[in-house]
Amino acid sequence: MNSFPWLTVLGLVPLGGSVVVALLPKSKPLLAKQVAFAISLVVLALVVVVALKFDGSSNSPYQFVEIHDWIPSFGVTYSLGVDGIGLVLIALSAVLIPVTILAGWNDVEQPQAESVGSVKGYFALILVLETMMIGVFAATDVFLFYVFFEAMLIPVYFMIGRYGGAQRSYAAMKFLIYSLVGGLFMLAAMIGLYIVTGTFNWFAILSGADIDPTTQKFLFLGFFLAFAIKAPMWPFHTWLPDAAAASKPGTAVLLIGVLDKVGTFGMIRYCLPIFPAASDFYAPVIIVLAVVGIFYGAFVALGQNDLKRLFAYSSMSHFGFIILGIFVFTSIGISGATIYMVAHGLSTAALFLTAGYLMQRRDGSSLLSDYSGVNKPAPVLAGFFLFAALSSLALPGLVSFVGEFMVLLGTFQRYIWVGGIATLGIVITAAYVLRVYQKSMTGAVGSGLEHIKDLTGREITALVPIAALTIFLGLYPAPVLNVVNPAVDTVMTLVGATNPEPTVGISSTTSQGAQQ
Amino acid sequence: MQEVMPATGVFSLLWLLIALPLAGAAILLFSGRKTNKWGPYLGVFTVFVDAVIAIWMLIAMMGNGSEQRTFSQNEFSWMFAGNFKVDMAFQLDQLSMVFVLLITIVGTLIHVYSLGYMSHDPDKRKFFGYLNLFVAAMLLLVLANNYLLLYVGWEGVGLASFLLISFWQIKPTAAAAGKKAFIINRVGDVGLSLAIMVMFVTFGSVGFDEVFGSTGQASEGTLTAIGLLLLLAACGKSAQFPLQAWLLDAMEGPTPVSALIHAATMVTAGVYLITRSNPIFDAATWAATAVVVIGVITMFMGAIIGSAKDDIKKSLAGSTMSQIGYMVLAAGLGPIGYVFAIFHLLTHGVFKAGLFLGAGSVMHGMNDNVNMRRYGALRTAMIVTYATFIIGTLSIMGIPPFSGFWSKDSIIHAAFESNTLVGILTIIAAAITGFYMTRMAAMTFFGKARWEDGVHPHESPKVMTIPLIILAVGSTFMGMALLFWGNIETWLEPVVGIKKEEIGIPDWLLMTITLVLVLAGAAYGWIQYARREVPIVAPRGNWLTRAAREDLYGDAVNNTLVVQPSFWLSRFLVWFDGSWIDGFVNGSAAFFGGLSARLRPYQSGFIRSYALSMVGGAVLVVLALVLVRLS
Amino acid sequence: MNPSNYVILSALLFGIGALGVLVRRNAIVVFMSVELMLNAANLAFVAFARMNGNLDGQVVAFFVMVVAAAEVVVGLAIIVQIFRSRRSASIDEPNLLKY
Amino acid sequence: MNSVNTGEAIVFWVCAVLAVLGAVGLITSRKAVHSALWMALTMISLAVLYIANNAPFLGMVQVIVYTGAVMMLFLFVLMVVGVDSSDSLIETIKGQRFLALLLGLLLIVILVWGLGSSLAGLPAVGLDGANRVDGGNVQSIAHLIFTDYLVVFEVTSALLITAAMGAMVLAHREHWQPKPTQAQLSVARFKGDEHPGNRPNPGIYARHNAVDTPALLPDGTPTDASIPGALRARGEVAPVDINDGRAIEEADSL
Amino acid sequence: MNAVASVIHAVDATPWVMPTLDYRLLAPVLIVLGAGVVSVLFEAFLPRGARRPAQLSLVFVSLIAALIAVINLNGVRETAGQGALAIDGPGLILQGTVVVIAILGALLMAERGLDPNGDAFAARASSLPGSEDERQFTARGYFQTEIWTFFLFAVGGMMLFPIANDLLMMFVALEVMSLPLYLLAGMARRRRLLSQEAALKYFVLGAFASAFFLYGAALLYGFSGSISFAGIASSLGSKTGETALILIAIGLVVAGLLFKIGAAPFHQWAPDVYQGAPTPLTGFMAAAVKIAAFGALLRLLYVALGGMRWDWAPMLWVISILTMFIGAILALTQSDMKRMIAYSSIAQAGFILLGVVAASAAGLAGSIFYLIAYAFTTIGVFAVISMVRDENGEATHLSKWAGLGRKSPFIATLFTIFMLALTGIPLTSGFIGKFYVFTAAYASGDKWLVIAAVLASLIAAFFYMRVVVLMFFTEPTQETATVAIPSVFTTVALAASATVTVLLGIFPQPLLDLINNAGVFIR
């Protein structure tokens, strides 16, 4: 049964769907939405099937492997396969896409002068993006990965530029150019890798000879820059606030919720295993930048008046945690970072979607100062907003806590002081998240907000899966951890890192014994 | 070491203790308006069932030998990666048991009381939902078998506290108070997080059993660090100095909340944490000493603040701080004090709940006015409230035979056993307690009526007074019951250990001195506030009064040291991000644009200039070739 | 004297031709300068043919003359065309396309 | 002929000087015609030098093709464009002249230095051998052209066709209607409104015979027909006092 | 003296051996040049009305025949025409590409459906701009069909250029290619003054560059005593002295060729000529000249001067960087579409030079792939440019493209694909091309050159994407141009170029196989 090309099918369904949607008549926007939504659900169903078929205890970390020659001249293969990390992120995308479609049902429909694209175009682009995202997470060929990595920019570019707000052209351009900065340097590094290893196939690269450390350091930078920009890591972040502020909430969700994960995913998948020596060499710098990012993002978020920018900066802070978790080279850290990616995807979705609902009720204003006391007229909206906020601040019991704590613990395990300092970030996170909630939702009802409608059934329906997943995985993250941990162990082996042992007493084996 | 028993029989319902109120909360919060009608009753019901189960468990537990009273239930693996593994597992031992009882029973009473208190609130359903959520989180806190799960409950109660403080969030002050509580608590949470991390790094586990089992192998420095971090956590949750500032503001919440969360249960979580971690503190003397110091400081701060506030709830909140200070210092004393810290915690939970509910009842009758200067002579208007409140007052002052006497006296005794200075300080604090409680009672129930126009004090409905009565009964007899019949010392000993030391002065003398001082304080309060006219506008007062009214400048200090600098930093970084980082980005774009504009004139359109550059190019090419060859 | 002097002379003529292109504004004169450069090349070819002892250089020079003739025809046609439209043979005049 | 004998040296030096002189003249004369003449001088000098270099065939071709055909074409176009046109000496492009001189001289210096240093003392093989193969320079060149360089030779035809056709397309004005014959023209002339005969010459019978002064008809009235259209269009017609003529007549009659 | 003596030296004359001409090898070129000659005859003898159909048929038939002839030579690897031409894999691929691009270019040039008044070329190049003659010719439809003669000759020259195996052939091919283009550049129907100016600039500068090339060739000949590449290559190995001579020679020859590919600082003609020339011709020229000239440059450097690699590579290094950056930076502030694409083509030339600098088999293959990819994309770009019009003809000002995505989403999408390809976004041919040349350069140790190229690509991305911004992210205004409906000619060309652009991005392997199997230049 494994011969069935699950991943290819998975990628082709949304692609075909986007063509169908794009070919629908312009006069029937509703049909386009329905079709797009249906297709996204089909993809989700397929992903569920794939996830169920995935064998977490299997010895081979990559499953559903398909390898075909693509460009033999360059040693490029069309090679797909997922490990736990990839699977989890594909699942995240598959969940967020229908949610986004549903939540953004009317986002591009209103007679807004600013938007220039057609309704069906937006949904077609979302589906194209889904293909790219699946591809990027499933690629087991560096070249193929790069192709998806770069091609992914285009649908997003259009989603921001055609359907965004006031500054959309600027933001789209900034997004694209920034991404290309990383992408092109990565291209250079990728070429270097090819020169050194003579192949692009992931498995072949890994089984190939070790790259000498000097070359590693050079190539690592190319890859890392691309991922750092995508992630975004301080100080390569300034595209994100602009992009988030200019895009529709749905776009922002996909952009920050999934797309940016490609950056951190890339670090785990490519930077660490291929360039272990370089990763080790640069880790201190990266860790410092990550910690700076955590606090920088949080403090800037504290001073923002624009909701979308604020969330963008908060994401930047969160990405600081993720990157931190990756580069401490502990199983806990990397597993935590992966969980954090999922958690962040969900919490970002919740935040942006609720904020989007809110903004839609007030002519799209994203200024925090335009809102107050929303809780009174729209308690459900406020409730979801609060939930999103809590998810963002990593409340224990929610999946974001699992990720954050594991990241911090993993960090602490390796670098006590860094872990200690990073932990302080949770206070500032609480400060800015609650500040937003307090300012917008509580207090006297702001003028113009007295009669806003509470969430409709459709809007709630879009949020419920996110909330449910957030809570479920918060209390029972095992489904994710079960598949992620073996993959992380593989990464750890490849990077040649070992987990620090407890300083006294119980060794890892006995502790497990004690807890059984 | 205690033997860990599998959770069979009634103990297999451990998870249900948490799940019930959690389900209640979920139903109440997510179901929408449909449940408005019966929702509050569901909220009461879940907690009540919990209380029943808890009592059943207590009975079952008492059936076992003292070494077989720890029951553990492992649900599933929660977090795991590498050598890290945390289970979703619960553990019920004697210490947890008393907390479960406190939480469920007092919780039930307060839920019932709230039926009346919140009867007119449109968001009543949500309120009960939050209360249920709180109960669930609090139970999780005390039932967790490892620190990380405890942490979930720890933050969960913080969340519930936040939600309930800002329940009337249309009031900006309430919303701000909720946020403040949450953020300050988060500071404490950092301590807990770090403590957990240190434990993991040191012991390779965060389970109670594993940590305590290998405490002896860790260095004292590590243990001190863990202890101090746990203390930080306790400070946050239990409003101890220097993280005390949120508690007074937390009185913005509905009064039952203040009673349940900010008096009886949640704020005592810090004490639970320290007590629970007793093997660590026992091995880390410095940390234990710090606990005592913090306890003492807070004990006095709370007392002083309580003495100066005219807001009945804030005055009670000050008192709470002070009493928790007692508990904390007791817990800091080590095996000498753990039991009494818990003892006092229990009695305090009951009488302070009663006091708060009484205050709520008063407010209920006074149109929600909280200013005691506009009270007076209420003893006739609300007789049940008056009676129960006075019982509570006597109990907290430590007048025999009320509950507070037994527990507080135990602490004072223990303090003397440990350190005479601490002992003396506890007695002084007790005296101040006498003063401010008398002041409160006097201003509220005695003296002349200073009511505002249109206020018609009346007794609260039965649904509110019955819990008051029950709590008053508890305030009266619980101390004796626990001490003599329940034998709390032996009950808790397997968990926390116990140690007795001889002290220089005989027990009766110590007790007498304490009582005399308390009565002196009470007398002073009586004279000041019952005999004399209480001015409606507060007099300026001396510096201490003024400082106390400003919460001893806790907010000012926080603002100056933390809040303002944060905002400055934030503003600076916003500027920096826009002008420098983004400025660099846009600047480099502008640079190339500018370069382009600067270079364009060289494309002058003149054939001859083009030819010139071609000649230049040829020369360049030739020179380049020559130079390469030469080099 | 050495035959290489011919080459030096050709270099000189080549340079002068290039200079002429750069400084003269009459399109026809500019074009003449280009022709001068071609002639310089021819001279070099001829001189090198002698120095190398084969006739390839001379053949090339011959073809260059043919090419140059064709080029002259085309070039002058273009110049005449421009002159008709603009009534000017200045090479600086057609200056609409720039930047 | 490995080295250069004195006679050739003399020829070289004379012709070299003349060639350079011509080249310098070419680029320094203000008038394009002068430039062309200077260029002719260079061409002829080069032709001589070709001959001196064992390339008699090329020398002749040079004279015929260059000095004959190409230079004539240049001059012809110069006549079309305006023989008097001369460059102004003021440079209009900023920095052009300075940079041109700088780079031009640099180029010359590099070339002369480079070639001089490379070639100095290099023996020349000479062409005697090569020419002898086919019995002479012309034959040898012909041999090469029609064997080794046959393809080039053929391809050159494309070049020449292009050139011829290009010149035709750009310069030849085809008519969009058939050219009227002489007969048609005269018929048209008499059918038209205009006076078929000659127009009066300017200034006839007028006091002035300047072109802008209208001629006087026999009856003494002035007629604009004598004035060139351009002037008429510009309104630059000198006023004529009709009485002028009379006055003269009267004066004569007196 | 000697001169006279040599004339009468008819002593030991050897019998002439008839040169062998393998017509099969020469067939592609001969077909096209022969068609050019036939085309002249058509002009001379056919009635006006019959000329256009006849010429078009001739052009397409001959080009397709030439293509077949090229394909027929698949696998051939020998010299032809007494060593003047090298028929080898790379040469044939370049030749074939030139022919295909010529077919597409011819389609564009033949287009008459876009403008009611006719094609892009002046009815009479000799008539004065704005004169009654011009009006009458246009109105009567007396179009010049001589353009097809020129076109065929130019194509013939382009086909010769990359296979020229000696300096003379190369020079003549250069001229055969260039002279018709000089003429054609001046023949635009609209904005004729600009067109004539373009022709003059192209011509004068082109002749100037030819002179440099020629002089360099003379010096090369002087150095090696041979004009054949093989002879030059072998002399490089055998001679050690005369360093300055060979260096100067290389410099001048290369400078002449760099002019044709539009490399900085020999690039300045390109924007002016591209802008002024008739758009279909610009498209053809931009694509095909680049192929031919790069082919020639590659052959010269790899075959004749391969031994001097360590001398010329650093020089080209500098030129490459200069070209990339000047092209990309100057394109940033352009407001005319054709001009912007011209600067873009300069930048692209810089990228292709990476492959040249690599001086390896991969470099050769990469350059060829890039050239092919670039050529098809460029044809497509100019096809679209020729279709975007307002009442004054082609609307090349960028502001007129604002909101085009709304008015004509399909064409705007195609144009976007071309822009993405030029940017080098994956799944387009441009990406594979960039990848290939970058890889080649990297493999040759020019790591920092790749980095520089990456930076330049980045700057370039900015202006390519600006077009997309303009088309898709901006509302149409009154000013916005409309897309004229083309006839089958442009449609086919556009479809072909778009298809190739995408196909080469997704399935490049067949072409890569072809190029790799072609091997290296014959020596």
Side-chain angles (χ1 to χ4, degrees), chain B residues 463-482:
Chain B
V463 72
M464 290 169 70
T465 51
I466 289 172
L468 282 179
I469 293 167
I470 295 173
L471 288 169
V473 172
S475 308
T476 314
F477 301 108
M478 196 174 140
M480 291 179 285
L482 282 178

Side-chain angles (χ1 to χ4, degrees), chain B residues 110-444:
Chain B
I110 289 172
H111 272 73
V112 170
Y113 174 90
S114 301
L115 284 177
Y117 190 84
M118 300 299 285
S119 58
H120 301 300
D121 198 290
D123 288 331
K124 192 164 56 169
R125 173 180 53 83
K126 218 191 261 177
F127 179 80
F128 279 90
Y130 291 161
L131 278 186
N132 263 353
L133 177 65
F134 168 78
V135 171
M138 193 69 202
L139 286 171
L140 177 61
L141 197 165
V142 297
L143 287 176
N145 95 329
N146 62 65
Y147 278 96
L148 200 59
L149 198 55
L150 178 147
Y151 186 49
V152 177
W154 188 262
E155 281 242 22
V157 293
L159 168 69
S161 157
F162 159 77
L163 291 169
L164 287 164
I165 293 170
S166 50
F167 183 74
W168 288 316
Q169 47 185 258
I170 198 123
K171 284 192 335 201
T173 48
K179 183 181 79 168
K180 185 174 172 185
F182 197 96
I183 292 172
I184 295 183
N185 264 300
R186 269 253 154 165
V187 177
D189 296 347
V190 169
L192 186 51
S193 299
L194 288 176
I196 296 172
M197 292 178 203
V198 179
M199 285 175 202
F200 175 71
V201 169
T202 313
F203 305 111
S205 170
V206 297
F208 293 153
D209 288 346
E210 292 81 8
V211 171
F212 302 153
S214 44
T215 309
Q217 300 164 47
S219 70
E220 176 155 0
T222 310
L223 293 174
T224 306
I226 296 175
L228 289 176
L229 288 167
L230 288 174
L231 173 61
L232 179 64
C235 286
K237 197 70 33 186
S238 295
Q240 297 298 292
F241 175 81
L243 300 178
Q244 81 289 359
W246 63 274
L247 183 61
L248 293 158
D249 289 355
M251 297 301 125
E252 291 283 349
T255 308
V257 172
S258 310
L260 179 61
I261 300 181
H262 305 121
T265 54
M266 184 191 89
V267 288
T268 60
V271 182
Y272 170 78
L273 183 68
I274 294 172
T275 315
R276 172 59 78 193
S277 314
N278 60 75
I280 291 170
F281 284 97
D282 289 348
T285 28
W286 276 102
T289 310
V291 174
V292 174
V293 171
I294 293 293
V296 169
I297 292 174
T298 315
M299 180 174 73
F300 278 101
M301 282 181 75
I304 290 166
I305 291 169
S307 306
K309 289 283 182 184
D310 293 329
D311 178 326
I312 184 167
K313 285 180 70 181
K314 291 202 170 172
S315 190
L316 277 173
S319 142
T320 305
M321 271 169 68
S322 178
Q323 298 304 317
I324 297 171
Y326 267 109
M327 301 171 208
V328 168
L329 91 82
L333 297 176
I336 298 176
Y338 291 131
V339 170
F340 306 116
I342 298 301
F343 186 23
H344 193 54
L345 189 154
L346 294 174
T347 57
H348 174 260
V350 173
F351 63 66
K352 187 51 76 55
L355 284 170
F356 262 114
L357 294 187
S361 177
V362 170
M363 284 156 57
H364 197 67
M366 300 296 287
N367 287 4
D368 286 333
N369 194 339
V370 291
N371 188 350
M372 291 190 289
R373 292 187 185 273
R374 306 309 298 257
Y375 291 173
L378 285 173
R379 64 182 178 278
T380 48
M382 31 186 77
I383 181 71
V384 180
T385 307
Y386 162 68
T388 55
F389 196 91
I390 292 300
I391 291 172
T393 304
L394 294 172
S395 184
I396 190 174
M397 280 161 61
I399 305 296
F402 295 101
S403 304
F405 165 76
W406 306 105
S407 57
K408 194 184 276 180
D409 186 69
S410 308
I411 290 179
I412 292 170
H413 197 275
F416 271 100
E417 282 178 49
S418 173
N419 183 315
T420 315
L421 177 65
V422 178
I424 293 170
L425 290 173
T426 53
I427 295 182
I428 297 171
I432 305 176
T433 310
F435 167 72
Y436 66 71
M437 283 318 295
T438 314
R439 170 179 177 268
M440 202 183 300
M443 282 174 91
T444 307

